[in-house]
Amino acid sequence: MKKSFLICISLILIITSSIQAQPNGKQLALKKSYFEIKIDGIIDDVWATADSIMDFTQHQPYYNQKPNRVTVAKILTTDNALYCLIKCYDDIENIQRTKGKLDDFAGDVVSLMLDTFNDKRTAYKFAVTATGVRADSRMLDDARNRDYNWDGIWFADGEIYDWGYVVEMEIPYKSIQYDESLNEWGLDFDRWIPHLNEDIYWCSYEENEGQRISKFGKLIFNGFKPSVKGLNLEIYPVAISKVEDLGNNKYDIEPDAGLDIFYNPSQKLTLQLTANPDFAQIEADPFDFNISRFESYFEEKRPFFTEGSEVFQASGRDRNTGFYRPLELFYSRRIGKKLPDGNEVPLLFGAKAFGRLGEWEYGGFSSITGEKNYTEDGQKYTEQRATFGSVRLKKQILDNSSIGFLFVGKHTEGNNFGVLDIDGAFRTSNWQLAYQFARSFNNSEGDYAFSAGFTKFEENSMTLVRSRYVGENFEIDQVGYVPWQGTAELIAIHGPRWVYDTGTLRSFMIYGGGGTSWEKVDNYTDLLSVLGINFQFRQNWGCEMTLVGGKSKDENKKYSYFESNFSSWFHSSPNWSGNFWGGYARTYNFSRNYLAYYSWTGSRFTWKILDYLNIGTSYNMWVEGNPDGNIEDITYNARPFLSFTPVNDLNISAYVDNLLVRSTDKLEQMIFGFFFAYNFSPKSWIYFAFNEVQERASEFNSAGNFIGKNLRTTDRAGVLKIKYLYYF
């Protein structure tokens, strides 16, 4: 444990400088228009005054080759907004028309990306399909990560012609943050051509790296700088009406109201406030099968917590491989959490502030939750009223690297919980070393934790290293998700990679490595070795297989650990996409408290039947063995769904989540969800959600005799929610 800690400290001390990423030499001059620009997909005469670019290059399937279709992009500005026009030439029968929810489309699409602080690390991305479906996101960590929860106020439309299609965008300056002193922004364009599986960019990137903000081209301001002033105030009154089934044909109707506020007093500061929020329109978490000794992790879905959440995350998360993930010291699911009896702690108030000052990024968070009584195992308990808070500071150093400080805390009557953290990342375009040091406190007690991750993708090889140490008394389950107290690990993987310019196979990689892990509860150092292969094919599909083996000890049992797993993915058709995965392991089953084999398999696919109708399902099966080598039980979970979008920004979706256990040969749980969502104006929504939960439970007759277990409705509720934007 000490050795792995010292190795990672040494790596951080050795790497104290960063190789400057060579910026792209491409430029586009921004010209000002004094005429109205109408966003309708029709090319007005005013666009003849704009400079244009058309020198795109393929990133896939044939790296660095000339695109098979012509694309032309133009940008203009007025005093109040930035405008973009992109002309995409293609045969009309090849254009994939799609309608869908925001951030949920797979047709022909173009994107505009803007680095408005010219910091080479963060950027806005605005994407539009040929039929005008919009999506947006924030690009982070030199494009290594994405924040898809960012939701800006901007406008777009598309129009299909017999020679291709046109997309127009309008991005009001008051809806984005930027540095008013700059003379240029970072800039790139992207076009996805589904029927060719072709992804093209204006800027050129290394095949092994992928897109990098540090290599964007430049949008040059010719005598013009955006400086929009105004209140920049967004107010959202929210009206809510809930109908809850109380049983015996009795229903409880609860009208309610809430308020959300966004305020940008400057282009470098955002304030966000919510009062009495309700998240009933959020889809239920998928079923999670867990045989480990650690609690399950669920992604945050509530808009108040997801918007701007990247500010409070530690640096260095590796989205592309998933190999390294920093310790999650701020786990917002702890706020307004679900209690053992299914009730939720009410969130009364929440506020966030985040922004920039020079090379500094900063953020603050505060929320108040109410008192809630609940029952567990027949005993009555009370979850106390609590105040949560967080402070974040991060500074850009060495051009494209960063160092930061994070505090997260929770206060209840007589108790204080929380954590302090220093983290950062050294990075260039093809490697990154992220690090994190943390100290917890639980009133007067506490402990230390550390994590680090190194990733490097060269033209012909890959190197991944990660390390983690969590002290025995590092307990932050009141504010974060770090369940691995008293553990340490060090894992390293390296392997060659072959890239092919032509043919069906695009790349092939073999990797191997090993590592150690230590758990105080067993006082034993596990040893493991890893061997894997990865295939990437030009028709946008691939597969990976991994073998892991070693020596381990759990619950005083020493054994030879073994695991094999595989995964595959495909999106070779604009109408089909899917994943298939599975594995087999000999490991300790903590849910049954014995050593045995364990296997799993799963899949997910979506099929676009029509331009406006998608269907699909996820399916999982978990097989638990017993010490005798026989099957102990099998658990099945399926979640079929459909998504119907007759017009842009209006979506109707439904799903049914089924849980079946072989030992009973019956459905143990079924969840039905129905959602209607209409985005009738920017950031203004009408939601209707209906949820019903059925669980198998014991039933008794009037005489008190047990008559069996049957599915019965344990929860049924409907919610109508209207949210309207007032924008000043």
Side-chain angles (χ1 to χ4, degrees):
M1 181 266 292
K2 291 182 178 179
K3 185 179 291 185
S4 65
F5 181 85
L6 291 174
I7 289 173
C8 290
I9 293 293
S10 300
L11 283 172
I12 293 173
L13 294 176
I14 291 171
I15 304 176
T16 57
S17 62
S18 177
I19 301 172
Q20 302 284 327
Q22 295 300 314
N24 201 301
K26 293 188 174 183
Q27 297 183 356
L28 177 63
L30 178 63
K31 293 186 177 181
K32 187 175 180 180
S33 171
Y34 297 92
F35 301 95
E36 179 185 2
I37 302 176
K38 190 174 181 180
I39 302 301
D40 54 9
I42 298 174
I43 306 174
D44 299 321
D45 293 340
V46 67
W47 285 109
T49 65
D51 287 352
S52 61
I53 59 98
M54 55 188 300
D55 51 337
F56 284 73
T57 184
Q58 280 195 54
H59 191 74
Q60 69 172 49
Y62 297 99
Y63 172 69
N64 212 26
Q65 298 298 306
K66 183 179 178 180
N68 288 290
R69 298 293 184 270
V70 174
T71 306
V72 181
K74 298 185 176 189
I75 291 183
L76 285 172
T77 187
T78 63
D79 288 331
N80 297 316
L82 187 78
Y83 294 84
C84 177
L85 177 140
I86 304 178
K87 297 167 62 177
C88 302
Y89 291 87
D90 207 339
D91 297 328
I92 189 171
E93 63 270 15
N94 291 329
I95 297 173
Q96 298 295 318
R97 298 165 175 83
T98 185
K99 297 181 183 294
K101 297 181 295 183
L102 294 175
D103 307 323
D104 184 20
F105 53 78
D108 281 81
V109 61
V110 294
S111 301
L112 165 67
M113 289 149 284
L114 299 168
D115 177 5
T116 58
F117 285 90
N118 209 18
D119 63 7
K120 303 179 179 64
R121 294 182 297 113
T122 60
Y124 292 100
K125 181 172 182 176
F126 306 91
V128 186
T129 69
T131 52
V133 181
R134 298 176 300 120
D136 51 30
S137 65
R138 288 279 289 152
M139 305 171 69
L140 311 170
D141 298 333
D142 201 7
R144 289 174 171 85
N145 288 297
R146 302 285 192 276
D147 175 19
Y148 294 103
N149 299 301
W150 182 78
D151 187 11
I153 298 177
W154 58 289
F155 309 90
D157 204 353
E159 185 71 22
I160 297 176
Y161 299 87
D162 56 3
W163 49 263
Y165 68 94
V166 170
V167 160
E168 286 185 296
M169 308 181 200
E170 176 189 351
I171 302 164
Y173 287 119
K174 64 181 180 180
S175 69
I176 60 175
Q177 292 185 314
Y178 57 87
D179 188 337
E180 296 178 47
S181 66
L182 295 176
N183 295 309
E184 60 184 38
W185 289 353
L187 174 69
D188 197 11
F189 302 93
D190 180 22
R191 179 184 176 186
W192 169 244
I193 310 172
H195 74 96
L196 297 174
N197 285 305
E198 189 169 299
D199 195 15
I200 65 174
Y201 292 93
W202 178 47
C203 300
S204 179
Y205 306 101
E206 297 298 322
E207 189 275 338
N208 56 292
E209 297 171 6
Q211 189 181 27
R212 290 289 178 260
I213 299 169
S214 55
K215 294 186 177 182
F216 273 15
K218 297 299 179 184
L219 178 65
I220 306 298
F221 300 150
N222 286 336
F224 167 82
K225 291 184 181 179
S227 58
V228 173
K229 305 296 182 182
L231 289 178
N232 301 315
L233 176 64
E234 303 173 23
I235 299 177
Y236 306 86
V238 182
I240 308 165
S241 180
K242 283 187 177 180
V243 179
E244 186 175 0
D245 184 3
L246 302 178
N248 298 320
N249 293 320
K250 294 181 179 180
Y251 292 87
D252 181 28
I253 301 176
E254 296 182 7
D256 207 346
L259 181 69
D260 293 334
I261 297 176
F262 284 80
Y263 178 41
N264 290 86
S266 77
Q267 295 304 317
K268 300 178 183 179
L269 173 63
T270 297
L271 302 176
Q272 182 180 354
L273 177 147
T274 186
N276 193 31
D278 185 274
F279 307 107
Q281 79 275 11
I282 303 301
E283 185 176 304
D285 291 318
F287 175 76
D288 183 66
F289 191 83
N290 188 353
I291 66 167
S292 76
R293 57 159 54 113
F294 307 115
E295 69 168 305
S296 297
Y297 177 87
F298 295 101
E299 294 287 343
E300 179 63 86
K301 300 177 182 179
R302 298 170 294 177
F304 174 73
F305 295 102
T306 57
E307 294 175 1
S309 61
E310 76 277 3
V311 177
F312 302 95
Q313 295 174 356
S315 300
R317 182 170 179 173
D318 180 16
R319 178 181 63 92
N320 292 327
T321 66
F323 184 78
Y324 172 70
R325 182 171 180 169
L327 301 173
E328 189 143 359
L329 305 180
F330 184 17
Y331 182 37
S332 57
R333 295 285 297 242
R334 305 296 190 200
I335 304 171
K337 64 184 179 181
K338 184 169 288 189
L339 298 169
D341 62 357
N343 288 311
E344 292 183 352
V345 177
L347 175 61
L348 305 178
F349 172 85
K352 284 194 289 190
F354 47 91
R356 293 170 178 259
L357 185 61
E359 295 182 340
W360 289 89
E361 294 180 48
Y362 57 89
F365 173 88
S366 178
S367 68
I368 299 173
T369 57
E371 185 176 285
K372 186 71 174 180
N373 298 319
Y374 66 97
T375 303
E376 183 177 11
D377 297 329
Q379 299 293 317
K380 293 183 178 181
Y381 299 92
T382 299
E383 180 73 17
Q384 289 182 298
R385 179 185 177 96
T387 301
F388 294 82
S390 179
V391 175
R392 175 65 163 164
L393 292 172
K394 185 164 65 172
K395 188 179 189 299
Q396 183 175 348
I397 60 174
L398 300 174
D399 189 50
N400 196 20
S401 301
S402 64
I403 185 170
F405 164 83
L406 175 67
F407 161 79
V408 187
K410 175 184 178 181
H411 171 75
T412 62
E413 186 177 356
N415 293 288
N416 291 290
F417 314 94
V419 63
L420 296 167
D421 159 79
I422 295 176
D423 62 84
F426 299 103
R427 62 172 68 92
T428 66
S429 59
N430 72 337
W431 64 260
Q432 173 179 269
L433 173 63
Y435 60 91
Q436 182 182 36
F437 302 90
R439 174 71 160 88
S440 69
F441 60 89
N442 185 339
N443 293 322
S444 60
E445 299 181 354
D447 210 335
Y448 295 91
F450 162 82
S451 72
F454 177 77
T455 60
K456 185 173 184 180
F457 284 87
E458 297 182 285
E459 184 177 355
N460 298 312
S461 67
M462 173 198 73
T463 302
L464 304 174
V465 183
R466 76 179 184 213
S467 181
R468 181 180 70 203
Y469 165 75
V470 181
E472 182 181 7
N473 296 314
F474 188 84
E475 297 182 6
I476 62 167
D477 56 358
Q478 296 291 326
V479 296
Y481 178 84
V482 184
W484 313 285
Q485 287 83 27
T487 66
E489 72 168 18
L490 174 63
I491 300 174
I493 294 174
H494 178 78
R497 180 172 178 263
W498 293 268
V499 180
Y500 304 96
D501 294 333
T502 60
T504 302
L505 184 63
R506 190 175 65 176
S507 67
F508 171 64
M509 180 169 60
I510 302 175
Y511 56 88
T516 65
S517 63
W518 173 83
E519 293 183 342
K520 183 175 179 61
V521 66
D522 297 306
N523 194 25
Y524 186 80
T525 300
D526 297 350
L527 300 175
L528 63 89
S529 57
V530 180
L531 178 65
I533 57 174
N534 178 286
F535 298 88
Q536 300 276 354
F537 294 89
R538 277 207 162 74
Q539 292 303 310
N540 211 23
W541 69 281
C543 61
E544 184 168 11
M545 291 167 280
T546 308
L547 298 176
V548 183
K551 298 292 184 180
S552 189
K553 180 183 178 181
D554 287 303
E555 300 295 322
N556 294 318
K557 293 182 181 294
K558 293 182 181 180
Y559 61 95
S560 296
Y561 172 78
F562 174 80
E563 178 181 328
S564 63
N565 58 70
F566 71 91
S567 62
S568 62
W569 54 95
F570 66 89
H571 195 176
S572 54
S573 164
N575 299 322
W576 289 88
S577 65
N579 304 80
F580 182 58
W581 61 88
Y584 175 91
R586 183 173 185 266
T587 187
Y588 200 87
N589 187 329
F590 286 92
S591 66
R592 297 185 182 275
N593 199 31
Y594 56 60
L595 175 68
Y597 77 84
Y598 166 63
S599 65
W600 62 96
T601 186
S603 62
R604 177 182 172 87
F605 79 88
T606 60
W607 177 28
K608 187 177 76 170
I609 301 178
L610 301 168
D611 292 344
Y612 49 82
L613 179 62
N614 289 348
I615 65 169
T617 189
S618 63
Y619 173 79
N620 286 280
M621 179 178 72
W622 299 273
V623 181
E624 298 175 273
N626 59 33
D628 297 327
N630 300 316
I631 294 176
E632 180 69 26
D633 213 342
I634 304 176
T635 302
Y636 308 89
N637 177 240
R639 194 180 179 101
F641 60 88
L642 67 84
S643 178
F644 174 63
T645 309
V647 296
N648 288 349
D649 300 325
L650 188 153
N651 177 255
I652 299 171
S653 59
Y655 72 92
V656 181
D657 194 300
N658 302 289
L659 182 65
L660 174 70
V661 179
R662 192 190 74 159
S663 56
T664 63
D665 197 28
K666 298 180 183 295
L667 281 174
E668 295 297 316
Q669 184 186 74
M670 184 172 69
I671 302 175
F672 171 73
F674 172 86
F675 299 94
F676 170 92
Y678 178 36
N679 185 201
F680 60 91
S681 183
K683 287 192 172 182
S684 299
W685 294 84
I686 296 176
Y687 297 103
F688 174 73
F690 174 82
N691 285 282
E692 178 171 306
V693 180
Q694 295 186 9
E695 295 180 329
R696 189 166 299 279
S698 299
E699 293 190 353
F700 302 86
N701 59 22
S702 57
N705 298 318
F706 175 71
I707 58 175
K709 286 188 172 184
N710 297 296
L711 276 179
R712 66 178 184 181
T713 300
T714 58
D715 188 24
R716 178 187 291 152
V719 177
L720 176 64
K721 182 175 179 180
I722 302 174
K723 178 178 180 180
Y724 186 76
L725 165 65
Y726 290 93
Y727 192 31
F728 302 94

